[in-house]
Amino acid sequence: MEALIPVINKLQDVFNTVGADIIQLPQIVVVGTQSSGKSSVLESLVGRDILPRGTGIVTRRPLILQLVHIDSEDRRKTSEENGIEGEEWGKFLHTKNKIYTDFEMIRQEIDTETERLSGNNKGISDDPIHLKVFSPHVVNLTLVDLPGITKVPVGDQPKDIEIQIRELILKYISNPNSIILAVTAANTDMATSEALKVAREVDPDGRRTLAVVTKLDLMDAGTDAMDVLMGRVIPVKLGIIGVVNRSQLDINQRKLVADSIRDEYAFLQKKYPSLANRNGTKYLARTLNRLLMHHIRDCLPELKTRINVLAAQYQSLLNSYGEPVEDKSATLLQLITKFAAEYCHTIEGTAKYIETAELCGGARICYIFHETFGRTLESVDPLGGLTTIDVLTAIRNATGPRPALFVPEVSFELLVKRQVKRLEEPSLRCVELVHEEMQRIIQHCSNYSTQELLRFPKLHDAIVEVVTSLLRKRLPVTNEMVHNLVAIELAYINTKHPDFADACGLMNNNIEEQRRNRMRDLPTAVPRDKAASSGPQSSSVSDQIDSGTGNWRGMLRRGEENAGGERAMAVALPASPQKGHAVNLLDVPVPVSRKLSAREQRDCEVIERLIKSYFLIVRKNIQDSVPKAVMHFLVNHVKDCLQSELVGQLYKTVLLDDLLTESEDMAQRRTEAADMLKALQKASQVIAEIRETHMW
C-alpha cells in the first residue's frame, strides 16, 4: 500500500514532462481563508520553512508539493550521483535538474516564480508551481496549496479577486480523485467556515473532505474546541483533526518546526488529554498518508482505463498527422487516389466513415430523386393555372371564323403543352440540388475520410478547386439534357399513346352513358327517335367515332342548340343609338357575365379530362427520365472522370513542393502528440508494474 503514493508521484512526473493535466491524479488540496494557518500546516508536514510569509494574500499561484520519503540508501546514492550534501533537498519542475539543499533558497524561488507570472500587484495565476521535497522525515504525500479565500480586494488587487480565487479553488477540488483538506481557525465560528462551505459544493456527501482546526492555543480563555473536535458542531465523515501552529513571534525568532511539534504535543496532553493521540501534526500526516493511499487504490482502475483511452485517441491523432514526407511524388499520387476513391465510395454508400446525423452522398441523392423531386412533381396540378374560360377561349380561337362541329385538336395541343412546360422548372431544380450535394461530398471527404489532406492545405484547396471545376462544367450539360427531355415531350403530342387511348375510350363510354341517361329522362310525349336525331349534324358520339374521324375528336358531338334547350345567358344589352348617329359595333359592351351552354360545358370538360390524362403520362415519363439523365450526365460522369481529372491537373513535378507544403503548426502538433502518446504509454507501464507487484 505504501508504494501506491510513489506511483502517483511517478505519474505526475510523467505528465509534467509534457506540461499536460489531462489526467486528474489523486492529490490533497488544501483550502482555507487567508490567515487560517494553511501555510503553517503545510510547513509542519514538511518539517521545514519553505513557504513565503507576509500579510494579505501570499500564496498567489497553486503550489503542487510532492513529499517523497527516502531511506538512508537512497539518500547516499543520490548524494553520490549529484554531489550534494545533506539529507534533505528539493527540486522545481521549472528549474529542471537543479537541486536545492538550502530551503531558504526554495522559499525565494517560490517568491520569484510567483512574481514572474502573477506580477507584484497581489494578483493571482492558475499556472501551478511544482516542487518536490525529498526527506527521511516526511511521509509520501502530494499536496496542493491554493490562495486563501478572501472577500474584499486590498490595495491594487483586481476587483474580482474573490471570484478569481473561488474559481481557482473549485477547479482543483472538483477533481473527483482529490481529497479536500479544509482548514479553519479554532478562534472562528466553525459553522461559518468558508473552507467547509466551498468543500460541500463539490463534495456534498463529505466522502473526500477532512477538516483541520488550527490555532487551538489562541482560543478565548475559558473556552475550548472539545465539541468541534468531537464533531458535535459540524460532523465531517473523514474526521476533524486539531493542530497548534507556530506564532508569528516563533516564526520571527526562527523556531524550528521540530520544536514546535514537541510543544504542540505537550499542549494537547495538557489541554485535551483524551484526544491527544488523535490530534496534532504527526497524526495529521499519518492520516493524510493513509487516506491518500486508500484513495489511490480506489482510483487506479479508473485511472488506468482513462490512460488507455487517451493513448488510443492520441495514437489515432498522430496517425492522422502522418509521417514526414520522403517520396513526394508517391505521396501526392496516393492522396489523390485516396480522395477520389473516398468520393466515389461516399456516393455509392460504401465509405468508411458513415454519417449518422444526416443523409449524405448517394443516400441524399436518392432522397432528392424519389422524395424531393418526386413529391414536387406529384404536387403539380395538371390543370393548375388553367381556368374554364382559358379552355373555352382556346377552343374558339382554334376554330377561326367558322362555327365548329367538333372541338379542334389544336386547342388540346396548345393547352397541354402549356401544362407540360410547367414540369421543366422542378426538373432543373432537381439538377441543382444534386449538384449541391456533389459539392458537399467534397467537404465530407475532407473532414472525415481523408484527414491526411489537413496536413497539406494547398493540396486540399487544389483538389477542391479541381472537383468544383469538374462539377461546374457538367452542370450546363446536364441542364441542357433535362431541358431537352421536356422539349421532346413538347415536340410531339402522341395522342396514340396506349395509356392515352385507353383514357379516351373510357371517357367515350362515360359520355355515351350520360347521353343514354338524358334520353331516359325525356318526357314520354316526345318520340325518342326524334329526340335522338335532329338532323345529320346531331349524330351520336359513337356514330362519329365509327364513321372514321380517326382521332379523339370523334367522341365529341354537337349539342342541341335551340331556343328552348340552350341554357339561359345573361347578356348586357347595348344602349339604343341616338337618332342620326351611326352605330359603331366595337362600342357594343362585352357581356358582363353569362352561364356556359351545355355544349360549351361539355367541350371544356372533355378538354380538361384529356389534358389531365396526357399530363399524367408525361409527368410519369419526366419523373423517370430526369433522375436517369442526372445520373448519367453528372453523377456517373464525375465518378468516372474524377481520378483522371485530378491526376491530369495536379500530378505535375513543378507542383510537388508547393502542394505538399505542410501547414505551419503541423510539425509542432505532431511532436506534441508524439510526446503525449509516449507519456501515456509510460504511465500505463507504471500502473502495470504496481499492479503486478501488489497483485492489484
Side-chain angles (χ1 to χ4, degrees), residues 383 387-388 391 603-613:
L383 301 176
T387 65
T388 304
V391 177
D603 290 349
C604 292
E605 181 180 350
V606 169
I607 287 293
E608 288 176 353
R609 289 183 180 180
L610 291 172
I611 291 173
K612 184 175 182 181
S613 176

Side-chain angles (χ1 to χ4, degrees), residues 292-448:
L292 186 58
M293 284 191 299
H294 286 285
H295 198 60
I296 291 172
R297 181 195 61 188
D298 296 338
C299 293
L300 273 180
E302 182 181 350
L303 195 61
K304 183 177 185 299
T305 301
R306 172 68 174 160
I307 289 174
N308 290 339
V309 170
L310 285 174
Q313 292 176 352
Y314 273 92
Q315 182 66 64
S316 176
L317 183 63
L318 188 60
N319 292 340
S320 69
Y321 293 153
E323 298 294 332
V325 178
E326 296 180 357
D327 188 345
K328 292 187 176 182
S329 179
T331 301
L332 179 59
L333 184 60
Q334 178 185 1
L335 291 175
I336 289 176
T337 303
K338 184 172 183 180
F339 179 88
E342 289 296 335
Y343 191 92
C344 296
H345 290 161
T346 303
I347 295 176
E348 295 165 358
T350 57
K352 180 179 180 182
Y353 296 91
I354 300 296
E355 180 66 61
T356 58
E358 61 179 353
L359 292 179
C360 176
R364 180 174 285 274
I365 293 174
C366 178
Y367 182 87
I368 292 171
F369 286 158
H370 302 291
E371 297 293 333
T372 306
F373 178 58
R375 289 182 179 179
T376 301
L377 288 188
E378 291 173 1
S379 67
V380 177
D381 183 5
L383 301 176
L386 196 64
T387 65
T388 304
I389 297 300
D390 295 334
V391 177
L392 185 60
T393 302
I395 294 173
R396 287 184 170 182
N397 286 337
T399 61
R402 297 175 302 279
L405 296 178
F406 312 106
V407 177
E409 185 174 353
V410 176
S411 61
F412 164 72
E413 291 194 3
L414 175 67
L415 293 172
V416 80
K417 285 181 179 180
R418 171 180 166 181
Q419 298 306 100
V420 170
K421 183 68 175 175
R422 299 169 60 214
L423 298 175
E424 183 175 9
E425 182 180 351
S427 300
L428 294 176
R429 177 57 180 161
C430 176
V431 178
E432 183 182 350
L433 290 175
V434 174
H435 176 267
E436 291 175 358
E437 179 57 27
M438 298 283 284
Q439 194 71 33
R440 287 180 67 247
I441 295 175
I442 303 174
Q443 190 63 35
H444 173 82
C445 292
S446 301
N447 292 341
Y448 299 99

Side-chain angles (χ1 to χ4, degrees), residues 93-136:
L93 177 64
H94 63 273
T95 59
K96 306 302 180 184
N97 295 323
K98 184 178 179 180
I99 295 178
Y100 295 81
T101 55
D102 185 352
F103 281 81
E104 183 63 30
M105 295 294 293
I106 291 178
R107 186 194 308 192
Q108 293 178 7
E109 182 61 30
I110 293 175
D111 260 334
T112 302
E113 184 65 12
T114 298
E115 291 188 1
R116 185 178 68 83
L117 285 186
S118 304
N120 53 9
N121 66 340
K122 299 298 183 181
I124 67 170
S125 170
D126 62 352
D127 190 19
I129 299 173
H130 293 266
L131 172 62
K132 186 179 291 188
V133 175
F134 301 84
S135 172

Side-chain angles (χ1 to χ4, degrees), residues 455-525:
R455 294 176 57 192
F456 312 109
K458 291 186 178 181
L459 175 60
H460 175 268
D461 294 343
I463 288 178
V464 171
E465 178 60 31
V466 171
V467 181
T468 302
S469 177
L470 179 59
L471 290 171
R472 193 184 304 119
K473 287 189 296 185
R474 298 307 301 174
L475 184 59
V477 178
T478 310
N479 282 336
E480 181 66 19
M481 182 59 198
V482 171
H483 173 78
N484 287 338
L485 289 175
V486 179
I488 289 170
E489 296 292 346
L490 295 174
Y492 180 65
I493 304 300
N494 183 16
T495 56
K496 289 293 186 178
H497 192 285
D499 294 341
F500 187 67
D502 292 343
C504 289
L506 181 61
M507 202 176 305
N508 176 47
N509 294 335
N510 291 338
I511 294 175
E512 180 65 20
E513 182 65 26
Q514 291 174 7
R515 187 186 69 82
R516 292 172 181 169
N517 292 338
R518 287 199 305 272
M519 293 286 292
R520 285 195 298 267
D521 294 339
L522 288 175
T524 56

